[in-house]
Amino acid sequence: MTEARSGGGKVIRRGPYPELTWTAVLVGYGLGFLITISMGYACLILGFSHEGSELAAILGFGVLRGILRRNSIIENNISQTVASSVNGASAGIMFSVPALFILGRTDFNPYLMVFGAIAGGVLGIAFIIPLRKQMIDFERLTYPGGVAVATVLKSPGAGVHKAILLVIGAALSATVAIVSHATGFENWALGAYIGMPDYMNGVWFVSLLTIGIGFIAGKGGLCFVIGGYACYWVLAPILARMGLLPSPEQLQDLRLATPDYLRVMLFRPVGIGMLVGGALAGIALALPLIVSAVRSMQSAARSGASLSKDEMPIKLLYVGVVGAVIVLGVVAVLSVEEMGLGRGILMAVLGTIWIWMAGVILSECIGRTNWSPMSGMTLIAVTILIVITKGLGDRAAMISSVMVGAATCMAMSQATDLMLDLKTGYLVGAIPRRQQMGQFLATWMGPILMIGLLFVLHKAYGLGSDRLPAPQGTVLASMMRGILEGDVPVHKYLAGAGLGALLSTTGIGGLGIQVGLGFYLPFSIVLTYTIGTVLRIVSDRIKGRHYSEQVGIPIAAGLVIGEGIVGVGFAVYSVIAGMKGG
C-alpha cells in the first residue's frame, strides 16, 4: 500500500491494506502474553476463562492506531487473531493440567506436555479449517462473540478511548492488588462486624479482578451467584434451625470453623458432582447440534466447498495433521515408562479422533449459542484415556491420560477460537487464509506460558488451595481419583450430579455447571463477584447497554489484567525469594 497527501491534506491510499504483517504478529504476541497470563490466573480462581478476542481488539487499537499510527482494520484483526490464539491455552491447559498438581503428580515431563498441547492445537486448527466455508458462508452461524469483536474493529477512534479506560482500570486494580499482597489484607470479614451468624460466611474476597469478571459476565453470571447464596444464605440457616450443624466440640475435633465445615464436608463435594452432571447433560442436550455438525461435514464434502483459494492449501493441512499426529503419538508413548508402544499409539489415535469430533461439535455449539460444553468434552476424553491406561498403576495412568487429554482440550479451544475469529474476519473483509496462518503462528506460545505459570503458581500458592481453587482441575482430579482409587464421597457426588443434570435440562445453557461453581467455590469469591454483576445490571438499566459496552467493559477488562499481572508477579517473586532462602 502506498500513501500520498492531496492538496487538501487528506491521505490518499493505493493498493491493498496491510493485513498479515510482522507488526501485527509481534503486537499479537505481546497482547497474547498479557491476556493469557491474566486469564490463566483468573481461570484458576473462578473456574472459567474468557475469550481474549475482544480484549485483544481493544488493546490492538491502542497499540496499532494510538501508538504506531497504523490504520488498517484487517491488520488489527490479524493482531487480535494471534493474541486470542495464544490465549486459547488459558482454557485448554487450565481445564486439564492442574489436576496433576492437585493429585500430587508433578513428576511429569513438562516438555512433553508442552509438545503434546502444541500438537493438539495444530490438529484442532487443521481439522476445523475445511468447515469454515460451510459453517460461516453457507449456514451463516451467528457466532455472537465474533460479531461483538467485529463491532469493536469497526469503531474507528473508539478503540483508542477504550484502551485508555482499560489502562486506567489496570492501574487501579494493580494498585489494590499490590497493597493487598504487601499487607496480607486479602479478605474482609464484614459479616462479623454487622453481627451475621458465622454459618452465613460474610467474608469478602479483596479482588478487583473478581469484580471485573462479574461485570463482563453481567446477567450471565447470575446463576453462578445464586448457587453460592443458596448454600450459605438459604441452606445453611435451614440446617442451623434444624440443629443439623456440628457442635463447637465436634468442630474443634475436626479443626474446622463452621463455614469451612460446610464447604469442605458438604457444599464442595456436591458442587463437584453438579459440575460433572451438568457437563454430561450438556453433551446430551447438544446432540441435535452434533447431528447438525456431522451434516455440515457431509455437505462440505459433497459441494466441494470445503476448501478454496481463500483457505490454506489442503496439502499443507495434510502435512500439519500427519506431523501433529506423529508428535502426539511420540508424546503418548514417552509420557510414562510403563506405557508401551501399542497402548501409546492407541491413545494417540483415539485422541486424534476425539479432537476431530469434539472440535466440530464445539464449533457448532458456540456458533449457535455462544456456549461451549468444553469441560464436559474434556471429562469424557480423559475418562476414555484413563480406562485405556488402567493397569499401568495410578501414577502412570494419571500422567499419561492428562498429557493426551490436555492435547485434546487444547485442540477444542483452538478450534472454537479460530471459528470465532474467522466470523469476525468475514464481517470486516479479512482473507481467511491469512487469519489461519496467524492462528498457526501463535499456537506454540500459549502452552509454554501456561505450563510455566502452573509451576510458578503451585510453588507460590498451591493449586487447589483457597487462594487458587482451580475448580475445573479439582473436578477432573476427583473423577480420576474415583475411577482409580474409589476414594471419593460417592453419595454426595451422585446427589450433586443428579441436581446438575436436572438444572441443565431447563434449557438454559450450562445452568448446572454455573450453579455448581457457586456451590464449589469459596463464598468470599461469590460475594465479591456479586458486586460486578450488580454494577453491570445497574449500568445497563440506568446508563444503557451502549455505555456499559463502551465504558464499563474496557475498565472491567483492565481490572482483570492489572490484578492478574500483579498476582503472577508476586508469585514469581516469592518463588525466586524461596530459591534464595529469603
Side-chain angles (χ1 to χ4, degrees), residues 107-108 112 331-340 389 392 395-401 403:
D107 54 336
F108 62 89
L112 275 180
V331 167
V333 171
L334 298 180
S335 58
V336 290
E337 293 178 357
E338 300 89 334
M339 177 58 67
T389 56
L392 294 180
R395 174 191 166 275
M398 289 174 179
I399 290 176
S400 58
S401 59
M403 200 165 275

Side-chain angles (χ1 to χ4, degrees), residues 220-266:
L222 272 177
C223 299
F224 162 61
V225 168
I226 289 170
Y229 285 94
C231 289
Y232 294 94
W233 287 13
V234 177
L235 293 176
I238 292 174
L239 293 173
R241 179 62 65 91
M242 296 175 69
L244 296 177
L245 293 180
S247 65
E249 293 76 18
Q250 291 171 315
L251 289 171
Q252 191 171 9
D253 291 340
L254 292 170
R255 297 181 179 179
L256 292 172
T258 303
D260 298 329
Y261 170 84
L262 287 169
R263 177 166 180 255
V264 174
M265 306 300 289
L266 180 59

Side-chain angles (χ1 to χ4, degrees), residues 266-348:
L266 180 59
F267 297 141
R268 188 165 69 179
V270 171
I272 289 174
M274 290 177 72
L275 290 171
V276 175
L280 296 180
I283 298 295
L285 291 173
L287 280 176
L289 297 178
I290 294 171
V291 173
S292 177
V294 173
R295 287 176 178 166
S296 294
M297 287 187 287
Q298 293 171 339
S299 299
R302 280 197 300 270
S303 65
S306 58
L307 286 172
S308 69
K309 63 181 181 181
D310 291 339
E311 320 288 351
M312 290 187 69
I314 187 67
K315 290 183 179 178
L316 194 58
L317 293 181
Y318 287 155
V319 171
V321 168
V322 171
V325 170
I326 291 173
V327 172
L328 194 58
V330 171
V331 167
V333 171
L334 298 180
S335 58
V336 290
E337 293 178 357
E338 300 89 334
M339 177 58 67
L341 183 62
R343 201 189 302 246
I345 292 175
L346 177 62
M347 287 185 73

